[in-house]
Amino acid sequence: MSEPPRSPSLSHRLGEALTRGLNPSQAEAVTYPSQPLLVIAGAGSGKTRVITSRLARFLAEGIDPRRVLAVTFTNKAAREMKERVARLLGQAGSNLPGMWLGTFHGLSARLLRLYGEAVGIRKDFVIYDADDQRRLMARVLHDLNISDKMFPVRQVVAIIDRAQNQGTTSASFTVSGPLDEVVAKAYCTYEERLTAANAVDFGGLLLWALRLGSADSPVASALAERFDHVLVDEFQDTNSVQYRLVRFLSRRTRSITVVGDEDQSIYGWRGADIRNILDFERDHPGAGVIKLEQNYRSTGNILRAANAVIAPNRERRPKRLFTDASAGDPVVVFEGDTEREEAEYVATTVQAGLAQGAAPRDFAVFYRTNGQSRVLEEALRTHHLPYVVVGGTRFYDRAEIKDLVAYLRVLQNPDDAVGLARIINVPARGIGNSTVDRLSALARDRGVGLHAALEIAARESDVLGQGPRHKVAAFGELLKSLRGARDSLPPAALAEKVLEDSGYRDQLAAENTVEAEGRLENLMELVAQMREYEREAEEPTLAGFLERITLASDVDSYDPEKGAVALMTVHTAKGLEFPEVLVVGLEEGVFPHQRSIDDDAAAEEERRLCYVALTRAMKRLHLCRVRWRRLSGQQLGGVPSRFLGDLPAEVIQHVIAPRPAYHDEKTDGAGPWQGRWSRGEPAARARGPAAPSAPPGAITRHYDQGMARGEEGELGLRVGAKLRHAKFGVGEVRAWQSVGDDFKVTVRFASVGVKTVMARFLQRL
């Protein structure tokens, strides 16, 4: 039970202490009564301090930490929040025993460890990551005689992921076509295999947790009484299942605090529903709403650019970030010829910054898709600049790490068929694929798991040939021996025993190559992480460590102290900040992505994504575009991104690399500024002052703000402009190009969709 509340005078003094140094809006959010509260927290507005102080306030008033649920979206954020709360309460170094603070997936796993058996989940379940999902689905499709060429594994898994995010199980999956029929069949078998393996995938964690609170759940009433206060960070990124879960857990006391910003909702593609935050007051009548609009991160010019980019969106509340800081440097808009010139600009900009005393970790380069990183990496290597690709191949995705983790998972849960199939011949022990197939068939025929099938094959002489049977039996004895040590050894010591007894360490050492040495170092690093976990955790267990690394995100592995330039997608950048940010690829079809061109909701999310990119910058911001880009084997004409056209003229300056001779004045590179090249001195109406430190090899130029000649000027072309066609009606400009005497415009018409038509058939409204 929770402790009795403190006296009003004491609560008042606690409130004063926790709000010291906060602005009025922040202080109001911290001290708001224990009722439904929505905090609209603009980028850089101190939301972490607010939610942390509100959480600390509840604890300081005497609430038992075990009765407070606080949800973050990364493990890194959860660790930082716990440390801040402890400092605010004068308990630095404390673990605040029992506090429920973590990600949705981590907290769901914790709930299932406690209550899962009531709904059919054993406590020793394992969590399958994305690679495990695909491996299991590949086996399912194979066993169902479904062609993975006609129905690729990734496609089937993606459809199931979307269904899970919406709360749809295989039993409630709706079939509306041939593809759905295949997915429905695969989904059903996939769920059966998960259950047989005593495993859950990421989506299943949330679904099972939600099931704990269902009407027929024997633990629903106990769970409804579990928490007095619920706090959720990054609420704009919740999906349907997450939203329903926190509503259930907060229904009794109605003390729910959600913090977020619809302008930063960027995960619709993986199930996040922006309506959760937009409709919060409707779903919680009488809810308080507090806006945090004062920004403490970025300069005035950066904020004016960000405000202008997000303003056209319709799915948002009115909000405008402001700062007491100075205007700062102008936002630099770089224009080059190709992606290699863009990468060179990035490298020389970093180099110039280092010469002026900056550190490599002060710089971040954002791109829309991972495929854009290659040329950037080449340029940084050429200039001998240290960099790290955040969100590339994760440490935990390396083959040797997954091998050792699979061993540990099988020791934790013998029914883990995916893990067992991975390690049965690692290191090589002569058990081939045909033997594994026969063991899998035996498991299906006898209605048992793969581990039980392995024991049957070792015991019964007519299942396998003599040679394979002896090898399978030896492997079974190895697992039996390791399982005997599982309960007596801490996680790190058990991992070392696995490496030793399995022969994995000896095999890598015998290879005597640089690659093998690196793999051994990675394995030793994993063991070191396990020892660190043992020191940090309240009750260190093998299951706890496996859960931690399975649910780790890309951002969790990013270490800003590594002293390297950070390269990452804009999605990965969410929640981070850097003194100097360079955003590359600002062309139509790249950023915004081509998939958003014909989808208004997706286009708004792309705009929010750009807003997130801009608001990561603290002091300096560079926005880069090129006239031609080769990406994914295609050469794209660089129509400037619509986001560049939204920037206020007075906050930007242009750095323009010389245009090659083969470019005509009319080109695919013509853009929404309706400008033409200034080849001599800056034009009379040029934007802003000359760049203070243009990188070597680039020259400073400006766009003339007068209308371009011919059909461009007559139509007033810009991305988003409205034009009329005699047959198709009114449409919105998406792109345009000029080749010789032909001038074509790509327009999205409400009646017929996207069409590319000759400019002479269009009229300006």
Side-chain angles (χ1 to χ4, degrees):
M1 293 294 294
S2 60
E3 296 180 22
R6 306 289 179 92
S7 66
S9 59
L10 178 57
S11 296
H12 179 71
R13 291 199 302 273
L14 289 170
E16 284 186 336
L18 291 171
T19 58
R20 193 172 295 121
L22 300 183
N23 67 38
S25 296
Q26 292 173 328
E28 182 185 5
V30 171
T31 58
Y32 195 84
S34 301
Q35 300 167 4
L37 173 63
L38 168 61
V39 181
I40 303 295
S45 63
K47 74 175 179 68
T48 302
R49 186 177 181 187
V50 167
I51 194 171
T52 300
S53 297
R54 186 164 172 82
L55 173 56
R57 184 201 122 200
F58 289 142
L59 299 178
E61 289 177 348
I63 299 298
D64 186 334
R66 292 169 294 185
R67 300 192 64 81
V68 179
L69 178 74
V71 188
T72 65
F73 262 77
T74 66
N75 293 307
K76 180 180 179 182
R79 289 193 296 271
E80 291 175 353
M81 186 178 293
K82 182 175 285 190
E83 291 168 1
R84 289 192 185 197
V85 169
R87 286 198 298 270
L88 285 170
L89 297 176
Q91 301 177 27
S94 168
N95 280 322
L96 295 174
M99 186 161 67
W100 286 72
L101 199 165
T103 66
F104 269 109
H105 290 92
L107 294 171
S108 293
R110 186 173 172 184
L111 286 171
L112 291 173
R113 302 284 182 202
L114 286 175
Y115 301 107
E117 290 183 340
V119 291
I121 291 288
R122 297 207 318 262
K123 290 183 178 181
D124 61 348
F125 68 86
V126 295
I127 302 170
Y128 279 3
D129 63 15
D131 180 64
D132 299 322
Q133 276 185 281
R134 290 190 291 268
R135 286 172 177 264
L136 178 57
M137 183 55 70
R139 171 58 63 177
V140 166
L141 296 180
H142 175 270
D143 292 344
L144 293 176
N145 293 317
I146 296 173
S147 169
D148 59 2
K149 292 183 178 178
M150 294 181 63
F151 303 97
V153 170
R154 288 179 182 272
Q155 181 185 24
V156 175
V157 168
I159 294 172
I160 291 174
D161 281 343
R162 285 197 296 271
Q164 290 176 322
N165 289 334
Q166 296 166 0
T168 304
T169 64
S170 63
S172 56
F173 187 82
T174 302
V175 175
S176 59
L179 174 59
D180 287 342
E181 289 181 3
V182 171
V183 173
K185 190 175 182 181
Y187 193 3
C188 184
T189 304
Y190 174 76
E191 280 193 342
E192 291 172 354
R193 299 282 176 88
L194 282 173
T195 301
N198 191 32
V200 293
D201 57 16
F202 289 155
L205 275 173
L206 303 176
L207 280 174
W208 278 106
L210 185 61
R211 194 173 301 174
L212 293 173
S214 62
D216 59 349
S217 167
V219 296
S221 58
L223 196 57
E225 296 286 330
R226 178 90 203 192
F227 302 107
D228 294 331
H229 302 280
V230 174
L231 303 93
V232 185
D233 195 10
E234 303 287 3
F235 189 67
Q236 75 281 347
D237 292 328
T238 54
N239 62 33
S240 173
V241 177
Q242 293 163 340
Y243 185 51
R244 288 155 59 189
L245 181 60
V246 295
R247 284 202 69 184
F248 171 79
L249 295 174
S250 63
R251 187 172 59 194
R252 177 178 59 87
T253 65
R254 297 188 74 244
S255 177
I256 178 171
T257 302
V258 300
V259 182
D261 177 11
E262 67 270 11
D263 289 341
Q264 298 184 72
S265 178
I266 60 174
Y267 295 112
W269 52 277
R270 69 181 190 194
D273 187 352
I274 194 173
R275 300 310 311 178
N276 290 347
I277 190 168
L278 292 175
D279 295 339
F280 184 81
E281 302 101 302
R282 183 201 68 188
D283 296 340
H284 298 81
V289 179
I290 298 172
K291 291 183 182 180
L292 307 182
E293 298 175 284
Q294 183 170 358
N295 179 281
Y296 295 93
R297 175 188 298 155
S298 306
T299 64
N301 282 336
I302 292 172
L303 292 184
R304 290 188 66 187
N307 283 330
V309 165
I310 198 63
N313 270 9
R314 297 177 182 177
E315 293 272 23
R316 66 186 298 262
R317 292 175 172 84
K319 178 174 74 277
R320 192 167 185 83
L321 297 181
F322 69 92
T323 180
D324 290 339
S326 65
D329 292 342
V331 175
V332 176
V333 176
F334 169 78
E335 180 171 338
D337 192 46
T338 69
E339 70 277 4
R340 293 192 176 278
E341 202 165 67
E342 177 184 67
E344 182 68 14
Y345 173 77
V346 168
T348 52
T349 297
V350 173
Q351 208 165 41
L354 298 183
Q356 295 173 9
R361 66 173 177 269
D362 293 338
F363 296 86
V365 186
F366 301 156
Y367 35 81
R368 179 62 182 82
T369 61
N370 281 305
Q372 295 170 251
S373 71
R374 182 182 60 82
V375 291
L376 295 165
E377 293 184 62
E378 289 176 0
L380 292 171
R381 283 198 300 268
T382 299
H383 287 266
H384 306 292
L385 296 169
Y387 70 88
V388 57
V389 179
V390 184
T393 301
R394 298 190 315 152
F395 176 79
Y396 300 116
D397 288 338
R398 292 181 169 93
E400 62 274 15
I401 299 301
K402 292 187 77 68
D403 289 341
L404 178 53
V405 168
Y407 266 103
L408 297 174
R409 272 184 12 197
V410 170
L411 296 182
Q412 170 67 24
N413 171 27
D415 291 328
D416 178 9
V418 171
L420 189 59
R422 182 181 184 98
I423 63 172
I424 196 168
N425 198 41
V426 175
R429 50 177 62 91
I431 302 177
N433 291 335
S434 60
T435 300
V436 176
D437 288 341
R438 293 179 69 179
L439 290 171
S440 298
L442 176 64
R444 291 195 302 275
D445 293 343
R446 302 283 183 96
V448 297
L450 185 60
H451 182 267
L454 188 148
E455 293 180 338
I456 293 171
R459 186 173 61 248
E460 299 180 7
S461 59
D462 59 340
V463 176
L464 298 173
Q466 184 176 359
R469 185 163 68 89
H470 287 321
K471 293 169 184 175
V472 166
F475 177 61
E477 287 300 316
L478 169 66
L479 292 182
K480 183 178 179 181
S481 170
L482 291 172
R483 197 167 294 116
R486 180 190 61 188
D487 297 330
S488 60
L489 294 177
L494 180 61
E496 290 184 314
K497 184 172 179 61
V498 168
L499 292 174
E500 188 69 32
D501 292 3
S502 68
Y504 201 167
R505 191 199 324 252
D506 291 342
Q507 183 193 56
L508 289 176
E511 289 182 21
N512 196 29
T513 64
V514 173
E515 180 185 0
E517 184 178 342
R519 295 176 70 185
L520 272 172
E521 289 174 354
N522 288 336
L523 290 167
M524 293 303 100
E525 173 62 23
L526 181 65
V527 173
Q529 286 188 21
M530 298 177 83
R531 290 202 175 92
E532 184 177 344
Y533 161 76
E534 290 169 8
R535 290 192 297 270
E536 293 177 352
E538 295 178 34
E539 298 180 9
T541 63
L542 178 59
F545 178 77
L546 293 173
E547 185 176 298
R548 172 186 284 195
I549 65 173
T550 303
L551 299 179
S553 69
D554 293 334
V555 174
D556 291 328
S557 62
Y558 170 61
D559 180 5
E561 300 305 317
K562 283 187 175 180
V565 178
L567 275 62
M568 66 187 79
T569 66
V570 185
H571 282 102
T572 304
K574 178 75 178 298
L576 301 177
E577 60 181 28
F578 300 88
E580 194 151 353
V581 167
L582 300 100
V583 186
V584 301
L586 281 158
E587 302 109 37
E588 290 291 304
V590 180
F591 196 5
H593 196 279
Q594 183 65 35
R595 287 194 300 266
S596 72
I597 298 298
D598 303 320
D599 185 332
D600 290 339
E604 289 215 349
E605 182 155 317
E606 289 290 306
R607 190 172 288 278
R608 294 193 292 268
L609 190 59
C610 185
Y611 175 80
V612 166
L614 271 55
T615 53
R616 302 308 95 196
M618 301 165 69
K619 296 180 179 179
R620 283 172 291 278
L621 175 64
H622 305 254
L623 307 176
C624 306
R625 61 153 291 215
V626 297
R627 305 170 199 125
W628 298 100
R629 180 178 302 276
R630 183 165 290 279
L631 185 63
S632 301
Q634 295 181 314
Q635 183 157 300
L636 309 174
V639 174
S641 170
R642 66 193 69 179
F643 308 141
L644 295 176
D646 293 325
L647 299 175
E650 59 273 16
V651 307
I652 67 174
Q653 66 178 71
H654 291 281
V655 174
I656 303 175
R659 170 176 278 197
Y662 59 78
H663 272 281
D664 184 76
E665 283 197 4
K666 284 185 182 178
T667 174
D668 286 356
W673 300 294
Q674 306 147 354
R676 56 178 180 264
W677 287 89
S678 170
R679 297 185 181 278
E681 293 298 315
R685 285 171 285 182
R687 296 186 176 188
S693 57
I699 61 173
T700 305
R701 289 290 185 267
H702 304 273
Y703 280 90
D704 187 330
Q705 291 301 281
M707 297 298 291
R709 293 175 296 176
E711 288 152 326
E712 286 180 81
E714 292 167 4
L715 293 174
L717 284 184
R718 61 180 177 81
V719 174
K722 303 291 186 182
L723 300 178
R724 184 184 300 280
H725 186 276
K727 179 179 178 182
F728 304 137
V730 176
E732 186 176 278
V733 174
R734 294 306 195 197
W736 60 93
Q737 59 183 325
S738 176
V739 181
D741 294 331
D742 292 333
F743 192 77
K744 300 178 180 179
V745 185
T746 301
V747 183
R748 183 188 178 206
F749 297 99
S751 58
V752 294
V754 177
K755 294 281 186 182
T756 298
V757 298
M758 301 298 292
R760 61 178 176 270
F761 296 121
L762 297 167
Q763 292 180 334
R764 188 174 184 174
L765 292 182

